[in-house]
Amino acid sequence: ELDGAATFLKVPAIAQALEAVPSNTRLRLSMDQLQHVDQACFELLRDWSRSAASCGSELVVDWAQLRRRVEAHRPDTDRPQAA
């Protein structure tokens, strides 16, 4: 379960937890308590999911919802900056 903010600051701890997942494991990621996720965390989860598949493991997550959470917190580059 991820809760609060999943940002680049938490990448080392999340990576360590993912490395401890045994082969042939189905890991469900609950995002009910997740307030924010940044691109670094998203990429870590995506990359781990891809590499874990070779060990028979699977990360079960709503990828579309996770992607929306990342995109929702990106700076709006189309909006003019205040002077």
Side-chain angles (χ1 to χ4, degrees):
E1 179 176 316
L2 288 178
D3 61 0
T7 67
F8 70 95
L9 297 172
K10 290 189 178 177
V11 165
I14 295 170
Q16 185 177 16
L18 291 171
E19 290 301 319
V21 174
S23 296
N24 301 312
T25 298
R26 179 177 237 193
L27 181 64
R28 289 189 191 277
L29 179 60
S30 171
M31 297 184 293
D32 295 341
Q33 301 299 316
L34 186 61
Q35 306 301 318
H36 173 75
V37 61
D38 71 5
Q39 187 68 33
C41 244
F42 177 85
E43 290 176 10
L44 171 68
L45 294 169
R46 182 197 60 205
D47 294 347
W48 184 86
S49 179
R50 290 176 178 166
S51 66
S54 66
C55 299
S57 294
E58 177 185 11
L59 179 60
V60 180
V61 62
D62 183 340
W63 289 104
Q65 180 185 13
L66 188 60
R67 169 55 74 191
R68 282 191 302 272
R69 289 186 188 209
V70 171
E71 292 172 354
H73 292 286
R74 285 191 180 163
D76 187 355
T77 56
D78 295 332
R79 190 177 346 164
Q81 298 294 318

